[in-house]
Amino acid sequence: MSKPTNPVVRSPYIGSRTVVHLFFILVCFICIYPFLVVLGTSLQNESDILKSGYAIFPKQIDLTAYKVLLHNPGVLLNAYLVNIYTTALGAAAGLFITTGFAFAISRKDYAYRKQLSLYVFFTMLFQGGMVPSYILMVSWLDLKDNVLALILPFLITGWHVLLMKGFLQSLPEALFESAKIDGANEFIIFTKIVLPLTKPALATLGLFLVLQYWNDWWLTLLYIENENLMKLQYLLIRVLRNMEFLNSAEAVQYGLVKPGQQVPSLSARMAMCILAAGPMLVVFPFFQKYFVQGLTVGSVKG
Amino acid sequence: MRVGKLKVDSKLGVILSASMVALAISGCSGKNNESESSASGTASASASPSASAASPAASKAADPLEKFVDVSWYIRKPIDTIKDQDAIEAEVNKGLKETVNANLHIHFIDAASWEDKMKLMSASGDEYDLVFTSNWTNPIDLNVQKGAFLPLDDLLKQYGPDILAKVDERAWKAVTYNGKIMAIPSQSPFTTPGGIVFKKDLVEKYNFDYTKVHKLQELEPYLETIKKNEPEITPLLVTKTVNAPGDYILDHTNITKGIRYDEIAGKAVMELDIPAFLDNYRTMSDFYKKGYVAKDAAIKTDFIAEAKSGKYAVMRDSGGYTADGSKSTALFGYPTVESLANYPTIGTPNMVGAATAISVTSKNPERAMQLLNQVWKDKKLSNTLAYGLEGKNYTVKSGAGTDSPSIEAKSGAEQTWAIWHNWLGPLWDQWDSGWNSTASLEQMQKNNKEAKTSSILGFLFNGEAVKTEIAQVSAVYSELWPIMQTGSMPDFDKFLADMKQRLNEAGLDKVLAEVQKQIDAWKAQNQ
């Protein structure tokens, strides 16, 4: 219509907006604070920690902890690589398999739809337990110390399938009909029509899978003995548990803590934390906005 | 751990369905379980050339050394920086081929995954031969309950003469379950004296004769001096997790939380009814009131960190084997001196600080036993396994070429190999080094010989019948004990009465009755 005439309009909400901003600054600070402590402590010198506790601002910057950890950077870099390729492979393959399976059981003209849906649902309700899964992985599939052991178990999850199925059911059947008439086979329909249409759902599921693969350490714990196949999070846990053990009464009682044995120190623990989480913290915010979009679009679509 | 379990539970559906898919994809119909127990990429051993004649484990071959076999030994990883494994195993296996015609490969499992992995391997029937067990990690009781270990009596008689000759006679009782020996107890210091550790510079400054101190109560004059003259120093270190030095109770053996066995009266008693015990904590309460103990002692958890801070005059450590303070000096990082006191009675758990068992899934238990016997027999072999290779992991200081040289093992950042001798078994065969001097080994043996063993050695309390009560008692203890131990209560007698009442409500009397019942039954069986 007509443009407003007065150039400066004081927003009537300036007061309340300030309050909101302050509130969120506070929330931000609460979130960031622990991280700053970890960062500060990792730069502290060991005796300072023992004397005055953790601090955000170290009395003197001391890089010993990082030196100790990066003294042998191979292990850490290797763990990073393992994390990256298991995540990439696992998430990509998992997405494809999950979506494919979900697409099949979402189609009304598929004969075994009911049985397969039940089969998926059944695994969500009743689970074999840890031991059978271990037997399967180690004795039957012989995957001990094999990179596949870090990938296979998460490839397809009951609830992911049902999530995807729910989304795919909202696609009009007529679409597939017309594609068929144009001479497309099932596989082309799936790749050329279904996948592009389900991008939001794929982004959502992708996020789940990426997080699952990236943060997993349990599979390493169960199936991996070879240091070259260990994941980052597992290395962290290893450091922590060793600390626990070396501080335990048993270790002292049986004379296991010997002079000259390297006991990972407090600052080294924190430094490990920074080294393991740091890059993800930098990378993640840039990617996150896409994921969040996917999530919201997905929910609106539903 | 809980996290892990939860994590995995929610993933099981996945694993199942994924594996169905994987199976479908690969058209794999489930391999026969003939594969090696591990496909460890680091193995120096090639696959065993033996034909997979699926012989049952218990079969006695006519000539047991005829066929060359692989023996696996699972050990909790002692240090993170372990390397050089291939070279050391190659060296060791040269000799083992000659003596027992077997090839040893040690699987080092990270401390982080060790317990879970061993549980799973046993539950899923994975093949493995030798395994480290103890009362504190990969616990022998649980393994025996699950039937994971092989009874060793016959194997020991037949193939373990050197083991039988070297193991402390008394220790067999501690690893015997239902009349069967289930593991081979290592040579270990079964009893370590408590050490009352003093910061050296302060002792010298005030010219205090620390060697006379053997009890908590005798510390008082020194603590008073420190309190008066050293404002920066807290006189006595005690934390939520570690009690004060010198609070010993003689002639009582721990059974379960709150219950001890009175060796003199020959019956089980409640901790809080032992006069000496109450004296100690009354003293602690007094010390606390006088300000000898940190105000927040009951909430301090990291004992080692506190000790390292150097802000305390008197601390505790499980004493060294010689009273020169060297052990605490190394542990705390500043000069200390110590007075050793109280060699406790050896109870069942002390005997199983380290032991080796053979798995029921082992294909060649006889050979595993022969190999282990070789380790006990051959000094050079056990020391090579423990220290590594000369020049690479240790250097000889003197006595090269003899069977007991004096060596210097690489340590700190340079250390790439270490297995403690008592994790392998024969600790007394250890070569003199920075780990243990010959003198300290002799001291340990002397201590072992002189120490009294509990009259109920071999008795293990089974808390199944009073599980709830034990849990409730533990809960009361974890709430009230830190206060008791640090003496930080306003009124000792009131607190004591209160604690007793709480424990009775929790059912400690029921636990006591059950313990006594089991001890009586055990005595009737064993005497």
Side-chain angles (χ1 to χ4, degrees), chain A residues 119 136 153 212 218 224 241 260, chain B residues 8 11 14 19-20 112 117 412:
Chain A
Y119 171 59
L136 175 89
Q212 196 174 27
W218 182 246
I224 304 295
R241 293 223 182 152
Chain B
V8 93
K11 305 288 164 14
V14 189
S19 49
M20 284 299 290
K117 229 173 214 160

Side-chain angles (χ1 to χ4, degrees), chain A residues 164 167 194-205 294 297:
Chain A
M164 212 64 206
F167 186 86
V194 176
L195 287 183
L197 283 174
T198 52
K199 267 185 195 148
L202 287 178
T204 312
L205 191 56
V297 172

